Amino acid sequence: MPSCERLSELLDPTVTVLLTVECQRGVVGPDGALPELAGAARSSGALGNVARLVAAAHDSDVQVIHAIAERRPDGRGAGRNARLFRAAERLPVQQLSGTTAVRVAPPIEVAEQDIVVRRLHGLSPIQGTEVDALLRNLGCRTLIVTGVSANVAIPNAVFDAVNRGYTAVVPADAIAGVPADYTLALVRHTLALVATVATTDEVLGCLRRPRRGA
């Protein structure tokens, strides 16, 4: 784990953005398309931790971006070049634009100043979306990555952030995937090599700490 001083330095609110990934009702909600993933996000405490981080970000003037994955009812623009995409077409709950499935899931609260970015294609919340341009316009240097899933979208987001020059911070208890031991292995053997791994409480402590000269 990083030192408190190092983490606090990285999490300067003026250059930090909090990204929530696919924390939408149709994914992590109780009636979502992927019950096992939703169950893992909830039972592990990850979804609750995302909500805590979002609330602290609002209080600390840290910008929050919610990345939502959805599809048009007619499927236009959606990829079929991966097994995951084709399987998603057959799920009983569809992430259709304009439906409750693509709304941010409780207990996460969306504030007026939050930005919601919706994508119709791909695996990453950053590649091929508005997120990178928004981060640059916001003056972001550190991106806190939270949400689901540790199997696909979370590593995509971390790699894309690092490749674009941002420092990624991953609160390991604010991400989830299946099975649970895979998430632990991903954090230890992959994400820890490219991102700063911390806990939700450590990140909260830094976001709530008064800054020098404030």
Side-chain angles (χ1 to χ4, degrees):
M1 293 295 178
S3 69
C4 184
E5 293 76 12
R6 170 60 176 159
L7 189 60
S8 184
E9 184 180 300
L10 288 177
L11 296 177
D12 178 346
T14 63
V15 295
T16 298
V17 172
L18 172 63
L19 179 70
T20 76
V21 179
E22 297 180 26
C23 292
Q24 57 204 71
R25 296 187 183 198
V27 175
V28 296
D31 300 316
L34 303 166
E36 188 179 1
L37 177 59
R42 291 175 175 276
S43 64
S44 68
L47 188 62
N49 285 333
V50 175
R52 294 169 64 208
L53 289 164
V54 168
H58 293 158
D59 290 341
S60 305
D61 292 324
V62 168
Q63 180 66 54
V64 178
I65 296 179
H66 304 283
I68 301 295
E70 59 183 53
R71 59 185 286 121
R72 288 168 48 116
D74 61 11
R76 289 181 182 271
R80 300 196 78 255
N81 59 326
R83 179 181 173 190
L84 178 65
F85 300 144
R86 297 190 295 275
E89 295 175 352
R90 302 189 296 272
L91 292 173
V93 177
Q94 296 288 306
Q95 313 301 315
L96 298 182
S97 302
T99 67
T100 58
V102 295
R103 294 179 185 172
V104 175
I108 300 168
E109 295 187 2
V110 181
E112 184 178 356
Q113 68 268 26
D114 293 2
I115 299 173
V116 179
V117 176
R118 303 180 181 277
R119 78 177 194 274
L120 293 172
H121 64 88
L123 300 169
S124 172
I126 297 178
Q127 171 67 31
T129 74
E130 298 176 273
V131 170
D132 182 38
L134 291 170
L135 293 176
R136 294 189 185 283
N137 288 346
L138 290 164
C140 176
R141 292 206 303 265
T142 300
L143 184 65
I144 306 171
V145 180
T146 66
V148 298
S149 73
N151 304 79
V152 179
I154 293 298
N156 260 265
V158 171
F159 294 150
D160 287 346
V162 172
N163 284 333
R164 285 161 176 76
Y166 304 106
T167 296
V169 172
V170 178
D173 53 354
I175 65 171
V178 289
D181 57 357
Y182 175 78
T183 302
L184 296 174
L186 171 79
V187 170
R188 179 178 180 182
H189 300 293
T190 302
L191 298 187
L193 301 179
V194 296
T196 297
V197 175
T199 66
T200 294
D201 284 342
E202 287 172 335
V203 172
L204 290 174
C206 292
L207 293 181
R208 293 168 175 164
R209 179 174 304 159
R211 300 280 151 180
R212 290 181 207 171

